Amino acid sequence: MNEKAVLVGLKLPQDNFNDIQESMLELKRLADTAGAEVVDILIQAKSTIDGRFYIGKGKIEEIREFYADEKVDLVVFNHELSPAQVRNIEKELECRVLTRTELILDVFAIHARTRAAKMQVELAQLKYQLPRLVGHYQNLSRTDGGIGLRGPGEQKLEVDRRILRKKIHFIETKLIEIEREKDTQRKKRMGEFKVSIIGYTNSGKSTLLNKISKSDVLAEDKLFSTLDTTTRRVWLGDGSIALISDTVGFIRDIPVGLIESFKSTLADARYADMLLHVADVSDPALADHLRSVNQTLKEIGADNKPALLCLNKIDLLPREILLDIRLRYPGAIFISAKEGQYTDDLKNKVKDMMKGIAVIKEQGEPEHE
Ligand SMILES: Nc1nc2c(ncn2[C@@H]2O[C@H](COP(=O)(O)OP(=O)(O)OP(=O)(O)O)[C@@H](O)[C@H]2O)c(=O)[nH]1
Ligand SMILES: [Mg+2]
């Protein structure tokens, strides 16, 4: 049975309504991916944040009355809440309250497959919980998991801070070991040309890698399907070969702890010779997505790489609209990874860029690591 969820956002005077709407739609996609049934999306416009309930007390009462008969399991806030706010709201509504970050962590927990990914998710969950170790409103604790309670970090709310810190330390040590193994692998690949596919979640990165390498990386219409890095050796033609990697997607307002925990996965981009920045051209929030990705690239120190912007999913847009977007992004290549449209042109373009970058490297330009 899907858990019923109400999504809540706050619009402050300085916020742009369109941005809030996009962000709430994204929250809905995250909730869908986590397996919730979203029954309502509410945005309250208010001049300030309420200290006790984040949104207005009146709005909370409205929600309680409206859902008096139809039981709601979860209320997800599109914001960070203080532990006290979480408790106050849970007490009023008698249902679990989650933040956007917790929902993202839950989606990560569902999709983590390898040992490294699981540990990175657990680390992020533990680090998120540590300063908030007060627990959810106790009458609501479930024993069977549920959204926000799944994954390796579940049920950790009861353990005390000391155990939590010990655990964080243990995982960090293990991750350093994994990082060392990765370093050895990287050294083996030192002479090869490395391309990293990066971009917003669900933009089609895995689909693109599958198409150009004829492989079978999991690609699906969910947020954060990919959490690990997959690398394929791709023949670009004329004897040129590149190692192309597909990795974890980015999202706006990415939780700080998540970048920190996924540092080693995200760092793959830092070791690349060039980046393929994939974005969904059909998404109305395209410009926003590009901005978020560039911001994250900066945060992980990979913003100075040669990059090719790949605007994907052109099959979803009518020609006239595409023409308009083309004018706005003159340096980009327009493709459909799914249909294989212009993916050969993309390979050629990578090959050309590769030649230029190889020349710079030979001339002794300092490595950008
Ligand atoms: N119409 C259309 N759909 C596409 C195209 N490329 C990818 N998709 C779809 O978009 C969805 C996401 O694709 P993925 O390749 O999983 O995207 P991703 O960037 O790897 O996503 P994460 O790993 O979740 O960050 C899937 O349902 C794909 O089938 C395209 O060119 N056209
Ligand atoms: Mg993927």
Side-chain angles (χ1 to χ4, degrees):
M1 262 268 288
N2 289 351
E3 290 172 76
K4 284 194 180 150
V6 172
L7 311 184
V8 177
L10 181 68
K11 186 201 166 296
L12 294 171
Q14 68 268 27
D15 296 332
N16 173 309
F17 191 70
N18 277 345
D19 290 350
I20 302 276
Q21 258 184 329
E22 288 294 343
S23 180
M24 290 304 287
L25 280 178
E26 191 168 79
L27 189 71
K28 179 177 182 302
R29 300 212 53 201
L30 285 165
D32 291 343
T33 303
E37 181 197 336
V38 176
V39 291
D40 210 346
I41 302 180
L42 307 168
I43 301 175
Q44 188 185 29
K46 217 172 159 294
S47 56
T48 51
I49 294 171
D50 185 89
R52 292 184 62 209
F53 297 100
Y54 200 88
I55 55 171
K57 171 113 199 267
K59 197 75 185 172
I60 298 272
E61 276 163 7
E62 223 177 85
I63 298 174
R64 192 183 54 207
E65 272 159 36
F66 195 81
Y67 289 100
D69 302 327
E70 184 188 3
K71 186 158 167 30
V72 167
D73 303 286
L74 279 178
V75 174
V76 186
F77 278 71
N78 197 28
H79 314 272
E80 279 314 312
L81 302 173
S82 72
Q85 283 166 339
V86 171
R87 252 172 318 151
N88 293 340
I89 304 164
E90 287 189 339
K91 221 166 170 173
E92 283 296 320
L93 295 181
E94 298 190 345
C95 72
R96 236 163 56 243
V97 169
L98 289 184
T99 62
R100 185 170 181 276
T101 300
E102 285 176 290
L103 192 58
I104 292 178
L105 290 177
D106 192 76
V107 170
F108 268 62
I110 299 171
H111 291 164
R113 287 183 184 85
T114 63
R115 192 169 136 253
K118 284 182 181 149
M119 282 199 293
Q120 293 181 108
V121 176
E122 182 171 13
L123 184 62
Q125 286 183 324
L126 293 172
K127 281 190 167 168
Y128 187 80
Q129 286 163 7
L130 188 59
R132 298 178 175 77
L133 250 197
V134 283
H136 284 274
Y137 179 52
Q138 13 173 309
N139 292 355
L140 307 166
S141 36
R142 304 169 46 134
T143 45
D144 59 340
I147 295 169
L149 302 172
R150 280 183 291 232
E154 67 187 278
Q155 293 167 352
K156 290 293 188 300
L157 283 162
E158 298 82 27
V159 295
D160 67 12
R161 288 202 166 80
R162 198 172 49 84
I163 298 177
L164 224 65
R165 284 212 188 87
K166 225 169 148 178
K167 192 126 206 213
I168 287 175
H169 179 73
F170 177 78
I171 299 173
E172 281 176 339
T173 317
K174 287 277 167 214
L175 283 172
I176 289 171
E177 273 171 36
I178 293 180
E179 186 56 19
R180 269 201 211 109
E181 286 164 29
K182 263 183 145 177
D183 251 6
T184 318
Q185 283 174 6
R186 280 188 192 121
K187 288 212 176 84
K188 278 191 204 147
R189 292 167 170 176
M190 222 151 72
E192 300 190 71
F193 189 76
K194 291 174 285 299
V195 180
S196 200
I197 302 180
I198 53 108
Y200 212 77
T201 182
N202 209 50
S203 56
K205 301 178 294 297
S206 301
T207 308
L208 177 63
L209 182 63
N210 283 338
K211 193 53 143 196
I212 58 181
S213 69
K214 300 190 179 63
S215 62
D216 211 4
V217 180
L218 176 74
E220 52 184 353
D221 196 12
K222 285 186 174 163
L223 302 187
F224 300 115
S225 305
T226 310
L227 290 189
D228 302 288
T229 307
T230 308
T231 304
R232 295 277 179 266
R233 190 163 270 118
V234 177
W235 275 258
L236 300 170
D238 302 337
S240 300
I241 295 172
L243 284 183
I244 305 191
S245 305
D246 164 39
T247 188
V248 58
F250 300 173
I251 195 163
R252 85 184 81 201
D253 306 326
I254 191 163
V256 183
L258 211 57
I259 296 191
E260 188 54 31
S261 305
F262 272 76
K263 222 168 38 194
S264 88
T265 303
L266 291 168
D268 288 326
R270 280 204 290 134
Y271 291 94
D273 296 297
M274 76 172 274
L275 306 177
L276 284 180
H277 180 172
V278 179
D280 179 350
V281 75
S282 73
D283 197 308
L286 170 67
D288 246 11
H289 290 182
L290 295 175
R291 218 171 309 136
S292 303
V293 170
N294 288 330
Q295 178 59 32
T296 310
L297 283 177
K298 219 181 246 167
E299 278 164 37
I300 59 173
D303 55 327
N304 52 0
K305 300 265 163 192
L308 175 60
L309 180 59
C310 312
L311 295 180
N312 187 32
K313 309 197 187 182
I314 55 166
D315 56 295
L316 295 179
L317 285 184
R319 192 184 289 261
E320 313 81 67
I321 293 180
L322 259 180
L323 273 174
D324 197 46
I325 300 178
R326 255 177 222 280
L327 290 173
R328 268 185 281 148
Y329 299 98
I333 181 159
F334 288 73
I335 59 166
S336 165
K338 196 171 166 188
E339 311 289 333
Q341 279 175 284
Y342 304 104
T343 46
D344 285 337
D345 295 87
L346 178 129
K347 281 193 192 181
N348 281 328
K349 185 94 197 172
V350 172
K351 195 169 65 190
D352 289 345
M353 287 181 75
M354 175 173 166
K355 281 180 193 146
I357 295 164
V359 170
I360 293 175
K361 266 177 126 184
E362 265 167 34
Q363 286 170 349
E365 193 82 342
E367 273 289 314
H368 16 239
E369 261 113 65

